[in-house]
Amino acid sequence: LDRASGGRDVYLSRVDVHSAVVSGTLAARTGLPGSEGWSATGQVRTAAHERARAAVRNLAPARRRQVQERALRQAAARGYVAVAEMGAPHIGPAEDLLALLELAGSGRPRLPKVLPYWGQLVRTPEELAEAVDLFGGRLRGLAGDLNMDGTIGSHTACVHGGYADAPGESGRLFLSVEDAARHLELCTVHGIQGGFHVIGDAGLDRVLAALQLTADRVGEAKLRAAGHRLEHVEMLPPGAAGRLLAYGVSVSMQPLFDAYWGGESSLYSARLGAGRALGMNAVGTLQTSGVPVCLGSDAPVTAQDPWATVRACLEHHNPDERISARAAFLAHTRAGWRAAGERNPLQGQLAPGTPATFAVWEVEELSVQTPDNRVSAWSTDARAGTPLLPSLDADRLPQCERTVVDGALVFDSGALA
């Protein structure tokens, strides 16, 4: 990196954004050598990664607004009417999220809505009140990228049995059961959604233990009513689905993780072995169990491509985890609003009396698509009147032509003029 950059600072993130490599100049300037997560090769993880990322993301206000507006316009062009923004102190300062809320809420220009989350651990009522007040009561929750563990690709997701390609490595746990339980307890009592980023099965075991401890303290009914959420949940330990259902937890998943890295000769298989990799991203198991599941991209980790996300559910590498296009579509529309605690029960639907929030798509043909017609919950007979969706086995996925939020145009390709 030093040779390629001519001695400039370089921060090169891994695709999962949980580790990176840095140039020697950046490492020296920020004092990375010797810190936790530093490697002499220039790879940084955990604390060293946080320091390196903070050093290169210190944007001037005007530049930050420019980047944020560009990101929201890109989302609008992909048919997104809202984004769940997972801010956190270890990712960027509170000013970043505050500026994004100001930009999206100003109405000049008209942009997709922002559903803000702040991944800050709280241990006292005062800390919770301070975090909520900091964002003017606009937070959807103290959740999102509040990390219980890391990622499979960076070897930091906490997994039972360790990593097949890294002997002796089993990941990182960033929170204790008590810390996680105290956070959930405070969020539950004060009526704010809580939750964590968790990927590995050992990490999820710790979250489930925290949920049980919270239920013991506040009561299972109150915990369930709080509607907490978890991000990713890529690996399920035995019995996890039933316990998530009992605690009323929503799960935000990314089917493109399986499309990109699932299968027998893939990243997940290399990291964990084919057997464990096959059971990952179990969207079908969770939906069948009744656990509320919503879908997203985790951008920039995977592309902002909603129809590719729906198709990934139809083509999951594990046939047992496939769901119908209709089920995936609902998980990527209505379920996203519900998982974010939206009070309007009609958000995410297109019908008389609902908010005029929608996208218009150019499609090649419409059909009813299921992973297996023999066990479909949706009739594929046109006479049944089942709502049709774009055919996702076509060469070209639907293209967004127009995006409208509360009656205001936020993207127009010009093709409908």
Side-chain angles (χ1 to χ4, degrees), residues 22-300:
V22 300
S23 63
T25 52
L26 178 61
R29 181 172 69 82
T30 55
L32 294 178
S35 59
E36 180 190 356
W38 163 259
S39 168
T41 64
Q43 183 184 29
V44 290
R45 301 193 300 171
T46 60
H49 179 232
E50 290 181 18
R51 291 178 61 182
R53 181 164 54 186
V56 299
R57 290 192 174 180
N58 186 21
L59 302 178
R63 175 59 176 160
R64 177 186 287 125
R65 181 183 176 90
Q66 181 184 44
V67 171
Q68 290 176 336
E69 182 176 337
R70 183 176 179 181
L72 288 175
R73 287 192 179 279
Q74 164 70 8
R78 305 298 296 185
Y80 290 92
V81 298
V83 296
E85 174 65 2
M86 301 300 179
H90 63 277
I91 295 175
E95 290 75 18
D96 185 81
L97 183 54
L98 286 166
L100 183 66
L101 290 173
E102 180 182 352
L103 173 64
S106 67
R108 301 183 302 275
R110 295 305 301 253
L111 297 165
K113 293 184 178 183
V114 172
L115 312 180
Y117 284 87
W118 185 239
Q120 176 184 332
L121 183 73
V122 293
R123 297 181 177 87
T124 66
E126 291 75 21
E127 287 181 351
L128 183 144
E130 183 179 350
V132 171
D133 290 346
L134 177 62
F135 296 97
R138 292 173 288 179
L139 287 179
R140 294 278 172 157
L142 289 168
D145 278 335
L146 176 52
N147 290 0
M148 175 56 77
D149 65 354
T151 66
I152 300 294
S154 292
H155 292 106
T156 51
C158 196
V159 299
H160 290 305
Y163 285 89
D165 60 350
E169 180 65 79
S170 60
R172 298 287 187 275
L173 287 169
F174 298 105
L175 300 173
S176 69
V177 171
E178 174 56 37
D179 278 345
R182 179 59 174 160
H183 179 84
L184 291 172
E185 177 187 358
L186 288 167
C187 288
T188 301
V189 170
H190 291 86
I192 186 168
Q193 191 178 56
F196 310 99
H197 159 117
V198 57
I199 283 180
D201 50 359
L204 185 55
D205 267 337
R206 181 168 286 201
V207 172
L208 292 170
L211 284 161
Q212 182 58 62
L213 189 55
T214 306
D216 294 341
R217 293 172 177 175
V218 303
E220 190 168 293
K222 194 166 187 176
L223 173 64
R224 188 163 50 246
H228 300 309
R229 68 181 283 162
L230 299 177
E231 308 302 321
H232 313 311
V233 189
E234 288 200 71
M235 301 177 71
L236 294 177
R243 295 176 67 186
L244 291 171
L245 178 63
Y247 299 135
V249 175
S250 294
V251 174
S252 170
M253 304 185 75
Q254 296 74 36
L256 285 175
F257 284 4
D258 177 75
Y260 286 15
W261 302 300
E264 294 182 356
S265 56
S266 65
L267 169 73
Y268 290 154
S269 183
R271 289 284 192 269
L272 302 169
R276 283 189 291 171
L278 188 65
M280 293 184 63
N281 298 290
V283 60
T285 294
L286 288 170
Q287 275 211 342
T288 302
S289 300
V291 176
V293 174
C294 67
L295 305 181
S297 67
D298 198 30

Side-chain angles (χ1 to χ4, degrees), residues 297-314:
S297 67
D298 198 30
V301 179
T302 72
Q304 288 182 318
D305 194 337
W307 290 112
T309 298
V310 172
R311 183 174 64 182
C313 293
L314 281 164

